[in-house]
Amino acid sequence: MTENEDTAVSFTGAVRTYGSVRAVDGVDLRIGRGETVALLGRNGAGKSTTIGLLLGLYPPDAGRVELFGTEPERAVRAGRVGAMLQDARPVPRVTVGELVGFVASRYPGPMPVPRALELAGIAALAGRRVDRLSGGQVQRVRFAVALAGDPSLLVLDEPTAALDVEARHVFWEAMRGYARRGHTVVFSTHYLEEADDFADRIVVMDRGRIVADGTGEELRRAAGGSLVTVSLAGRDPDGLALLPGVRSLEVHGDRARLRTDDSDATVVALAELGAIRGLEVAPASLDDAFLALTSPPGDDGPAGHRAPAPLDHSPTAKAS
């Protein structure tokens, strides 16, 4: 395959501004066909604007965005894209089956309506009016609508935000089945465990830029693979930040937490200093990695926190 044939989503130096705010700030991103990719970031990081650019809801102020080698608007009109957005509102006085059937009829090769309802877990709601459903049920209707055209690319903005634990489990089981059929899935989420469990890649955004791109394990290693915690016992913590492998230091009361690329070297150095009282060593969590990757410039975080060094971006995602 050529690059265009193998690429579902392509951002090249994409910029989108709102006044003086660069909501998307020079993003380069490639997503291959059949990949499931999660977008992570704090509120205001640029995730929703990135999704808007991806769907052709507005053009970039600079750079290019393409889906399957063409403009997003053309890919959407051709029925190759399905989307589930946060701000969609229930349509009054229509049933679930009518709504999904209408949307399916607008696509050249739609998914059978019963199949879309089954995948979304709402087959029993086909005859119910959409505007009389609970918030979680409406969210699943949105999913069925996104599936209706049997699109090659499925874009989901916070898809499980209104779902309880059981409904989230059902949703992701459906998503796994859909992705296994070779479809490309891009979703944003605030649930880090969802990104870790269901995405092939996690793209972390901060202040409109991509700051990391990789698997959950790769992100943990990039942000500091282990956490070493010791009791200070009155010791000055400043020198600890200079120990081998240490990328950042946090001090909480009488305990120092060292984020390190090489926990063995860090522990040996602590032992040489006689500073292993209350020693604990644990792998960094995805939460730890996310917080380290999205620390604002100059923000020292908790008392004594030192932000990690900037990450090198992977070849598939970088900020210009």
Side-chain angles (χ1 to χ4, degrees), residues 105-170:
S105 71
R106 315 309 295 173
Y107 285 84
M111 180 181 292
V113 172
R115 176 60 176 158
L117 297 178
E118 179 186 357
L119 277 174
I122 53 172
L125 303 178
R128 294 271 300 276
R129 278 178 47 169
V130 177
D131 55 358
R132 293 182 178 175
L133 300 178
S134 69
Q137 290 170 333
V138 169
Q139 191 77 336
R140 282 183 278 176
V141 172
R142 292 173 183 160
F143 181 40
V145 167
L147 292 172
D150 200 13
S152 301
L153 170 64
L154 192 58
V155 182
L156 310 168
D157 193 6
E158 301 288 348
T160 61
L163 302 183
D164 59 29
V165 173
E166 182 178 357
R168 285 169 60 191
H169 177 76
V170 171

Side-chain angles (χ1 to χ4, degrees), residues 243-278:
L243 296 181
V246 174
R247 296 189 58 168
S248 67
L249 165 68
E250 296 176 20
V251 177
H252 302 274
D254 191 45
R255 291 188 66 76
R257 188 170 77 159
L258 309 173
R259 191 184 308 277
T260 174
D261 292 329
D262 188 341
S263 58
D264 291 341
T266 302
V267 170
V268 168
L270 285 168
E272 291 174 349
L273 293 174
I276 57 172
R277 181 176 177 181

